[in-house]
Amino acid sequence: MKVRVLVRLKPGVLDPQGRAVHHALEGLGFAGVEDVRIGRVVELDVAESTSNEDLDTMCRQLLANMVIEDYSIEKL
Amino acid sequence: MKVRVLVRLKPGVLDPQGRAVHHALEGLGFAGVEDVRIGRVVELDVAESTSNEDLDTMCRQLLANMVIEDYSIEKL
């Protein structure tokens, strides 16, 4: 089973990498970019028997830093 | 307009970060994880007038390293 986990900074948490990319896009001449946020995508290939609870625990224990990040799980 | 760009290593390119996460998940007792690949997610808030061609150019020029990475663009 393919699972995609998106890990993003919580709203309000400063994203210096996103700001740098935003600035660079403007420097390259792309007008109309209003905001850029950067996160991680973790693509897991797990056994069919893996429960939603297990996936949730993986995120909380390892994949996301729950203090500053949110995650969402998408089954592909 | 919200746009999500997923940047992933091309198949066959070694992903040490993914391997480390895979190993760590096994160490935490999660059995049945077969593969882990890590990439970036770039969430852009762009003007409605931004063309698909512009988004493509942003990816090729800045967001992805086309030598080792692939990207996909999803409009939200």
Side-chain angles (χ1 to χ4, degrees):
Chain A
M1 179 171 61
K2 296 259 183 193
V3 178
R4 181 194 284 169
V5 177
L6 295 174
V7 181
R8 282 171 279 216
L9 287 169
K10 291 190 179 182
V13 176
L14 191 69
D15 180 4
Q17 205 185 350
R19 278 183 108 155
V21 169
H22 190 170
H23 192 74
L25 285 173
E26 286 176 342
L28 286 170
F30 296 104
V33 179
E34 276 146 47
D35 193 31
V36 182
R37 303 280 286 175
I38 308 231
R40 287 192 303 287
V41 53
V42 184
E43 289 187 326
L44 300 153
D45 194 352
V46 295
E48 292 295 328
S49 58
T50 309
S51 67
N52 288 346
E53 207 175 41
D54 275 348
L55 291 171
D56 223 61
T57 314
M58 287 181 199
C59 291
R60 294 182 170 271
Q61 286 194 355
L62 185 74
L63 304 181
N65 174 353
M66 296 306 298
V67 179
I68 54 167
E69 292 173 332
D70 282 331
Y71 64 88
S72 57
I73 297 171
E74 296 170 6
K75 294 192 179 185
L76 303 182
Chain B
M1 178 172 61
K2 297 258 183 195
V3 178
R4 181 195 284 171
V5 177
L6 295 175
V7 181
R8 283 171 279 214
L9 286 169
K10 291 189 180 184
V13 176
L14 191 71
D15 180 3
Q17 204 185 349
R19 279 183 107 154
V21 168
H22 190 172
H23 191 75
L25 285 172
E26 285 175 343
L28 287 169
F30 295 104
V33 179
E34 277 146 46
D35 193 32
V36 182
R37 303 281 287 175
I38 309 232
R40 289 191 302 287
V41 52
V42 183
E43 289 187 324
L44 299 153
D45 193 352
V46 295
E48 292 295 328
S49 58
T50 308
S51 66
N52 287 346
E53 207 174 42
D54 276 349
L55 292 171
D56 223 61
T57 313
M58 286 180 198
C59 292
R60 293 181 170 272
Q61 287 195 353
L62 186 72
L63 303 181
N65 174 354
M66 297 304 300
V67 178
I68 55 166
E69 292 172 330
D70 282 330
Y71 64 89
S72 58
I73 298 171
E74 296 170 5
K75 296 191 178 184
L76 305 180

